[in-house]
mmCIF file of all heavy atoms in Angstrom:
data_model
loop_
_atom_site.group_PDB
_atom_site.id
_atom_site.type_symbol
_atom_site.label_atom_id
_atom_site.label_comp_id
_atom_site.label_asym_id
_atom_site.label_seq_id
_atom_site.Cartn_x
_atom_site.Cartn_y
_atom_site.Cartn_z
ATOM 1 N N ALA M 1 -23.286 25.426 22.269
ATOM 2 C CA ALA M 1 -23.682 25.963 20.964
ATOM 3 C C ALA M 1 -22.649 26.954 20.439
ATOM 4 O O ALA M 1 -22.436 27.044 19.221
ATOM 5 C CB ALA M 1 -25.052 26.631 21.078
ATOM 6 N N ASP M 2 -21.994 27.703 21.344
ATOM 7 C CA ASP M 2 -20.972 28.654 20.916
ATOM 8 C C ASP M 2 -19.748 27.953 20.346
ATOM 9 O O ASP M 2 -19.132 28.437 19.394
ATOM 10 C CB ASP M 2 -20.554 29.549 22.097
ATOM 11 C CG ASP M 2 -21.594 30.612 22.400
ATOM 12 O OD1 ASP M 2 -22.478 30.823 21.558
ATOM 13 O OD2 ASP M 2 -21.522 31.212 23.490
ATOM 14 N N ASP M 3 -19.370 26.815 20.941
ATOM 15 C CA ASP M 3 -18.175 26.105 20.465
ATOM 16 C C ASP M 3 -18.409 24.599 20.540
ATOM 17 O O ASP M 3 -17.875 23.910 21.414
ATOM 18 C CB ASP M 3 -16.953 26.499 21.294
ATOM 19 C CG ASP M 3 -15.645 26.055 20.626
ATOM 20 O OD1 ASP M 3 -15.707 25.420 19.553
ATOM 21 O OD2 ASP M 3 -14.559 26.343 21.182
ATOM 22 N N PRO M 4 -19.249 24.036 19.659
ATOM 23 C CA PRO M 4 -19.530 22.596 19.717
ATOM 24 C C PRO M 4 -18.308 21.741 19.414
ATOM 25 O O PRO M 4 -18.244 20.584 19.835
ATOM 26 C CB PRO M 4 -20.626 22.401 18.669
ATOM 27 C CG PRO M 4 -20.470 23.558 17.732
ATOM 28 C CD PRO M 4 -19.984 24.697 18.569
ATOM 29 N N ARG M 5 -17.324 22.289 18.701
ATOM 30 C CA ARG M 5 -16.124 21.508 18.393
ATOM 31 C C ARG M 5 -15.369 21.158 19.671
ATOM 32 O O ARG M 5 -14.902 20.033 19.844
ATOM 33 C CB ARG M 5 -15.236 22.285 17.433
ATOM 34 C CG ARG M 5 -15.858 22.527 16.059
ATOM 35 C CD ARG M 5 -15.011 23.468 15.224
ATOM 36 N NE ARG M 5 -15.617 23.749 13.927
ATOM 37 C CZ ARG M 5 -16.558 24.667 13.738
ATOM 38 N NH1 ARG M 5 -16.989 25.407 14.772
ATOM 39 N NH2 ARG M 5 -17.058 24.865 12.533
ATOM 40 N N ALA M 6 -15.232 22.132 20.568
ATOM 41 C CA ALA M 6 -14.537 21.873 21.827
ATOM 42 C C ALA M 6 -15.316 20.888 22.684
ATOM 43 O O ALA M 6 -14.733 20.007 23.329
ATOM 44 C CB ALA M 6 -14.322 23.185 22.586
ATOM 45 N N GLY M 7 -16.650 21.014 22.706
ATOM 46 C CA GLY M 7 -17.451 20.070 23.483
ATOM 47 C C GLY M 7 -17.348 18.653 22.963
ATOM 48 O O GLY M 7 -17.277 17.695 23.741
ATOM 49 N N PHE M 8 -17.335 18.514 21.639
ATOM 50 C CA PHE M 8 -17.225 17.179 21.058
ATOM 51 C C PHE M 8 -15.840 16.589 21.268
ATOM 52 O O PHE M 8 -15.694 15.376 21.459
ATOM 53 C CB PHE M 8 -17.543 17.243 19.570
ATOM 54 C CG PHE M 8 -17.173 15.998 18.823
ATOM 55 C CD1 PHE M 8 -17.900 14.835 18.971
ATOM 56 C CD2 PHE M 8 -16.066 15.979 17.979
ATOM 57 C CE1 PHE M 8 -17.547 13.681 18.290
ATOM 58 C CE2 PHE M 8 -15.713 14.839 17.296
ATOM 59 C CZ PHE M 8 -16.456 13.686 17.450
ATOM 60 N N ARG M 9 -14.812 17.437 21.235
ATOM 61 C CA ARG M 9 -13.450 16.942 21.341
ATOM 62 C C ARG M 9 -13.245 16.132 22.618
ATOM 63 O O ARG M 9 -12.486 15.170 22.642
ATOM 64 C CB ARG M 9 -12.474 18.105 21.287
ATOM 65 C CG ARG M 9 -11.024 17.710 21.046
ATOM 66 C CD ARG M 9 -10.140 18.944 20.993
ATOM 67 N NE ARG M 9 -10.578 19.855 19.934
ATOM 68 C CZ ARG M 9 -10.910 21.121 20.135
ATOM 69 N NH1 ARG M 9 -10.857 21.641 21.348
ATOM 70 N NH2 ARG M 9 -11.300 21.876 19.122
ATOM 71 N N ALA M 10 -13.932 16.514 23.692
ATOM 72 C CA ALA M 10 -13.741 15.829 24.974
ATOM 73 C C ALA M 10 -14.239 14.392 24.937
ATOM 74 O O ALA M 10 -13.726 13.539 25.659
ATOM 75 C CB ALA M 10 -14.444 16.605 26.091
ATOM 76 N N VAL M 11 -15.256 14.103 24.116
ATOM 77 C CA VAL M 11 -15.846 12.763 24.112
ATOM 78 C C VAL M 11 -15.576 12.029 22.804
ATOM 79 O O VAL M 11 -16.133 10.953 22.575
ATOM 80 C CB VAL M 11 -17.377 12.852 24.353
ATOM 81 C CG1 VAL M 11 -17.672 13.448 25.714
ATOM 82 C CG2 VAL M 11 -18.054 13.652 23.250
ATOM 83 N N SER M 12 -14.721 12.572 21.938
ATOM 84 C CA SER M 12 -14.468 11.929 20.652
ATOM 85 C C SER M 12 -13.860 10.539 20.830
ATOM 86 O O SER M 12 -14.181 9.612 20.083
ATOM 87 C CB SER M 12 -13.552 12.804 19.797
ATOM 88 O OG SER M 12 -12.320 13.063 20.464
ATOM 89 N N GLY M 13 -12.970 10.392 21.823
ATOM 90 C CA GLY M 13 -12.380 9.074 22.063
ATOM 91 C C GLY M 13 -13.417 8.050 22.480
ATOM 92 O O GLY M 13 -13.385 6.886 22.056
ATOM 93 N N LEU M 14 -14.367 8.459 23.324
ATOM 94 C CA LEU M 14 -15.426 7.542 23.746
ATOM 95 C C LEU M 14 -16.341 7.180 22.577
ATOM 96 O O LEU M 14 -16.831 6.053 22.493
ATOM 97 C CB LEU M 14 -16.239 8.184 24.867
ATOM 98 C CG LEU M 14 -15.499 8.319 26.198
ATOM 99 C CD1 LEU M 14 -16.267 9.220 27.134
ATOM 100 C CD2 LEU M 14 -15.296 6.959 26.830
ATOM 101 N N MET M 15 -16.583 8.123 21.686
ATOM 102 C CA MET M 15 -17.393 7.822 20.519
ATOM 103 C C MET M 15 -16.725 6.750 19.665
ATOM 104 O O MET M 15 -17.372 5.783 19.222
ATOM 105 C CB MET M 15 -17.611 9.086 19.700
ATOM 106 C CG MET M 15 -18.451 8.867 18.444
ATOM 107 S SD MET M 15 -18.252 10.186 17.238
ATOM 108 C CE MET M 15 -16.536 9.937 16.774
ATOM 109 N N LEU M 16 -15.414 6.886 19.438
ATOM 110 C CA LEU M 16 -14.698 5.881 18.656
ATOM 111 C C LEU M 16 -14.705 4.535 19.371
ATOM 112 O O LEU M 16 -14.824 3.482 18.733
ATOM 113 C CB LEU M 16 -13.263 6.345 18.405
ATOM 114 C CG LEU M 16 -13.097 7.559 17.487
ATOM 115 C CD1 LEU M 16 -11.620 7.918 17.354
ATOM 116 C CD2 LEU M 16 -13.702 7.297 16.118
ATOM 117 N N ALA M 17 -14.559 4.553 20.712
ATOM 118 C CA ALA M 17 -14.582 3.300 21.474
ATOM 119 C C ALA M 17 -15.931 2.612 21.331
ATOM 120 O O ALA M 17 -16.008 1.384 21.176
ATOM 121 C CB ALA M 17 -14.279 3.577 22.943
ATOM 122 N N LEU M 18 -17.011 3.383 21.375
ATOM 123 C CA LEU M 18 -18.337 2.793 21.232
ATOM 124 C C LEU M 18 -18.536 2.247 19.824
ATOM 125 O O LEU M 18 -19.131 1.182 19.636
ATOM 126 C CB LEU M 18 -19.401 3.839 21.554
ATOM 127 C CG LEU M 18 -20.852 3.352 21.556
ATOM 128 C CD1 LEU M 18 -21.028 2.208 22.547
ATOM 129 C CD2 LEU M 18 -21.798 4.491 21.907
ATOM 130 N N PHE M 19 -18.026 2.946 18.823
ATOM 131 C CA PHE M 19 -18.115 2.448 17.444
ATOM 132 C C PHE M 19 -17.355 1.131 17.304
ATOM 133 O O PHE M 19 -17.869 0.156 16.731
ATOM 134 C CB PHE M 19 -17.556 3.487 16.480
ATOM 135 C CG PHE M 19 -17.352 2.965 15.083
ATOM 136 C CD1 PHE M 19 -18.423 2.814 14.220
ATOM 137 C CD2 PHE M 19 -16.089 2.601 14.633
ATOM 138 C CE1 PHE M 19 -18.239 2.319 12.931
ATOM 139 C CE2 PHE M 19 -15.896 2.115 13.359
ATOM 140 C CZ PHE M 19 -16.976 1.972 12.501
ATOM 141 N N VAL M 20 -16.126 1.088 17.822
ATOM 142 C CA VAL M 20 -15.315 -0.128 17.721
ATOM 143 C C VAL M 20 -15.974 -1.268 18.484
ATOM 144 O O VAL M 20 -16.030 -2.414 18.006
ATOM 145 C CB VAL M 20 -13.901 0.144 18.260
ATOM 146 C CG1 VAL M 20 -13.125 -1.150 18.430
ATOM 147 C CG2 VAL M 20 -13.152 1.082 17.324
ATOM 148 N N THR M 21 -16.480 -0.987 19.685
ATOM 149 C CA THR M 21 -17.138 -2.020 20.482
ATOM 150 C C THR M 21 -18.348 -2.580 19.757
ATOM 151 O O THR M 21 -18.554 -3.802 19.706
ATOM 152 C CB THR M 21 -17.561 -1.440 21.842
ATOM 153 O OG1 THR M 21 -16.410 -0.974 22.536
ATOM 154 C CG2 THR M 21 -18.263 -2.487 22.686
ATOM 155 N N SER M 22 -19.166 -1.719 19.174
ATOM 156 C CA SER M 22 -20.362 -2.176 18.468
ATOM 157 C C SER M 22 -19.994 -2.991 17.236
ATOM 158 O O SER M 22 -20.594 -4.035 16.966
ATOM 159 C CB SER M 22 -21.218 -0.965 18.070
ATOM 160 O OG SER M 22 -21.589 -0.212 19.207
ATOM 161 N N THR M 23 -18.995 -2.525 16.476
ATOM 162 C CA THR M 23 -18.586 -3.251 15.273
ATOM 163 C C THR M 23 -18.017 -4.623 15.625
ATOM 164 O O THR M 23 -18.405 -5.647 15.039
ATOM 165 C CB THR M 23 -17.552 -2.435 14.487
ATOM 166 O OG1 THR M 23 -18.087 -1.150 14.176
ATOM 167 C CG2 THR M 23 -17.169 -3.142 13.200
ATOM 168 N N ALA M 24 -17.065 -4.653 16.576
ATOM 169 C CA ALA M 24 -16.430 -5.920 16.947
ATOM 170 C C ALA M 24 -17.437 -6.892 17.534
ATOM 171 O O ALA M 24 -17.449 -8.083 17.201
ATOM 172 C CB ALA M 24 -15.299 -5.657 17.941
ATOM 173 N N THR M 25 -18.314 -6.405 18.406
ATOM 174 C CA THR M 25 -19.312 -7.277 19.019
ATOM 175 C C THR M 25 -20.272 -7.824 17.972
ATOM 176 O O THR M 25 -20.628 -9.009 17.993
ATOM 177 C CB THR M 25 -20.089 -6.511 20.097
ATOM 178 O OG1 THR M 25 -19.183 -6.022 21.083
ATOM 179 C CG2 THR M 25 -21.112 -7.411 20.762
ATOM 180 N N GLY M 26 -20.704 -6.966 17.050
ATOM 181 C CA GLY M 26 -21.607 -7.429 16.003
ATOM 182 C C GLY M 26 -20.989 -8.509 15.137
ATOM 183 O O GLY M 26 -21.631 -9.528 14.835
ATOM 184 N N VAL M 27 -19.734 -8.328 14.749
ATOM 185 C CA VAL M 27 -19.059 -9.311 13.896
ATOM 186 C C VAL M 27 -18.866 -10.630 14.629
ATOM 187 O O VAL M 27 -19.209 -11.708 14.113
ATOM 188 C CB VAL M 27 -17.714 -8.747 13.400
ATOM 189 C CG1 VAL M 27 -16.899 -9.848 12.715
ATOM 190 C CG2 VAL M 27 -17.934 -7.587 12.436
ATOM 191 N N ILE M 28 -18.324 -10.573 15.846
ATOM 192 C CA ILE M 28 -18.022 -11.810 16.571
ATOM 193 C C ILE M 28 -19.293 -12.537 16.979
ATOM 194 O O ILE M 28 -19.386 -13.768 16.879
ATOM 195 C CB ILE M 28 -17.152 -11.498 17.802
ATOM 196 C CG1 ILE M 28 -15.842 -10.845 17.362
ATOM 197 C CG2 ILE M 28 -16.867 -12.759 18.590
ATOM 198 C CD1 ILE M 28 -15.057 -11.643 16.356
ATOM 199 N N THR M 29 -20.304 -11.807 17.451
ATOM 200 C CA THR M 29 -21.568 -12.440 17.839
ATOM 201 C C THR M 29 -22.175 -13.188 16.658
ATOM 202 O O THR M 29 -22.670 -14.314 16.804
ATOM 203 C CB THR M 29 -22.550 -11.377 18.353
ATOM 204 O OG1 THR M 29 -22.000 -10.730 19.502
ATOM 205 C CG2 THR M 29 -23.879 -12.011 18.732
ATOM 206 N N THR M 30 -22.121 -12.602 15.494
ATOM 207 C CA THR M 30 -22.699 -13.236 14.314
ATOM 208 C C THR M 30 -21.903 -14.467 13.891
ATOM 209 O O THR M 30 -22.481 -15.506 13.554
ATOM 210 C CB THR M 30 -22.759 -12.224 13.157
ATOM 211 O OG1 THR M 30 -23.543 -11.098 13.560
ATOM 212 C CG2 THR M 30 -23.373 -12.852 11.923
ATOM 213 N N ILE M 31 -20.566 -14.368 13.907
ATOM 214 C CA ILE M 31 -19.741 -15.521 13.522
ATOM 215 C C ILE M 31 -19.995 -16.695 14.458
ATOM 216 O O ILE M 31 -20.151 -17.843 14.024
ATOM 217 C CB ILE M 31 -18.250 -15.135 13.521
ATOM 218 C CG1 ILE M 31 -17.954 -14.156 12.377
ATOM 219 C CG2 ILE M 31 -17.367 -16.378 13.377
ATOM 220 C CD1 ILE M 31 -16.526 -13.650 12.363
ATOM 221 N N VAL M 32 -20.061 -16.419 15.752
ATOM 222 C CA VAL M 32 -20.313 -17.492 16.715
ATOM 223 C C VAL M 32 -21.694 -18.094 16.498
ATOM 224 O O VAL M 32 -21.873 -19.315 16.534
ATOM 225 C CB VAL M 32 -20.161 -16.959 18.156
ATOM 226 C CG1 VAL M 32 -20.607 -18.011 19.168
ATOM 227 C CG2 VAL M 32 -18.721 -16.563 18.422
ATOM 228 N N ALA M 33 -22.688 -17.246 16.242
ATOM 229 C CA ALA M 33 -24.044 -17.748 16.046
ATOM 230 C C ALA M 33 -24.160 -18.579 14.772
ATOM 231 O O ALA M 33 -24.871 -19.589 14.742
ATOM 232 C CB ALA M 33 -25.025 -16.579 15.999
ATOM 233 N N GLU M 34 -23.453 -18.169 13.716
ATOM 234 C CA GLU M 34 -23.556 -18.871 12.438
ATOM 235 C C GLU M 34 -22.728 -20.146 12.404
ATOM 236 O O GLU M 34 -23.136 -21.138 11.805
ATOM 237 C CB GLU M 34 -23.103 -17.944 11.298
ATOM 238 C CG GLU M 34 -24.026 -16.763 11.042
ATOM 239 C CD GLU M 34 -25.293 -17.175 10.314
ATOM 240 O OE1 GLU M 34 -25.345 -18.314 9.808
ATOM 241 O OE2 GLU M 34 -26.230 -16.358 10.257
ATOM 242 N N ARG M 35 -21.577 -20.115 13.040
ATOM 243 C CA ARG M 35 -20.661 -21.256 12.933
ATOM 244 C C ARG M 35 -20.576 -22.087 14.199
ATOM 245 O O ARG M 35 -20.036 -23.192 14.183
ATOM 246 C CB ARG M 35 -19.248 -20.775 12.603
ATOM 247 C CG ARG M 35 -19.125 -20.073 11.276
ATOM 248 C CD ARG M 35 -17.670 -19.739 11.013
ATOM 249 N NE ARG M 35 -17.471 -19.030 9.761
ATOM 250 C CZ ARG M 35 -16.292 -18.610 9.328
ATOM 251 N NH1 ARG M 35 -15.206 -18.828 10.060
ATOM 252 N NH2 ARG M 35 -16.190 -17.976 8.183
ATOM 253 N N GLY M 36 -21.043 -21.557 15.295
ATOM 254 C CA GLY M 36 -20.839 -22.248 16.564
ATOM 255 C C GLY M 36 -21.820 -23.358 16.836
ATOM 256 O O GLY M 36 -21.686 -24.080 17.799
ATOM 257 N N GLY M 37 -22.861 -23.492 15.992
ATOM 258 C CA GLY M 37 -23.826 -24.554 16.239
ATOM 259 C C GLY M 37 -23.349 -25.887 15.730
ATOM 260 O O GLY M 37 -22.210 -26.112 15.378
ATOM 261 N N GLY M 38 -24.284 -26.815 15.658
ATOM 262 C CA GLY M 38 -23.949 -28.131 15.133
ATOM 263 C C GLY M 38 -23.754 -29.137 16.228
ATOM 264 O O GLY M 38 -23.606 -28.840 17.400
ATOM 265 N N GLY M 39 -23.751 -30.387 15.831
ATOM 266 C CA GLY M 39 -23.597 -31.439 16.802
ATOM 267 C C GLY M 39 -22.194 -31.537 17.308
ATOM 268 O O GLY M 39 -21.236 -31.476 16.586
ATOM 269 N N ALA M 40 -22.059 -31.716 18.578
ATOM 270 C CA ALA M 40 -20.746 -31.852 19.178
ATOM 271 C C ALA M 40 -20.418 -33.293 19.469
ATOM 272 O O ALA M 40 -19.314 -33.614 19.844
ATOM 273 C CB ALA M 40 -20.678 -31.029 20.461
ATOM 274 N N GLY M 41 -21.417 -34.190 19.282
ATOM 275 C CA GLY M 41 -21.168 -35.565 19.666
ATOM 276 C C GLY M 41 -21.331 -35.706 21.154
ATOM 277 O O GLY M 41 -20.551 -35.190 21.930
ATOM 278 N N VAL M 42 -22.379 -36.401 21.608
ATOM 279 C CA VAL M 42 -22.620 -36.489 23.038
ATOM 280 C C VAL M 42 -21.466 -37.177 23.740
ATOM 281 O O VAL M 42 -21.127 -36.869 24.877
ATOM 282 C CB VAL M 42 -23.952 -37.241 23.291
ATOM 283 C CG1 VAL M 42 -24.209 -37.412 24.765
ATOM 284 C CG2 VAL M 42 -25.101 -36.497 22.628
#
């Protein structure tokens, strides 16, 4: 509480990594689900 900026600074990189992971996973999962279906021909 005295210095939240210093406390946050230590985990800021992990926060960005989690944001990037969530964004990339959401986009790719959706593209595969929307376009990956269909008949492949037995």
Side-chain angles (χ1 to χ4, degrees):
D2 284 346
D3 194 358
R5 295 172 182 83
F8 167 72
R9 194 179 301 123
V11 298
S12 58
L14 290 168
M15 180 199 67
L16 292 179
L18 185 57
F19 168 78
V20 169
T21 300
S22 302
T23 304
T25 302
V27 170
I28 300 305
T29 299
T30 301
I31 291 176
V32 172
E34 292 284 348
R35 297 184 181 179
V42 177

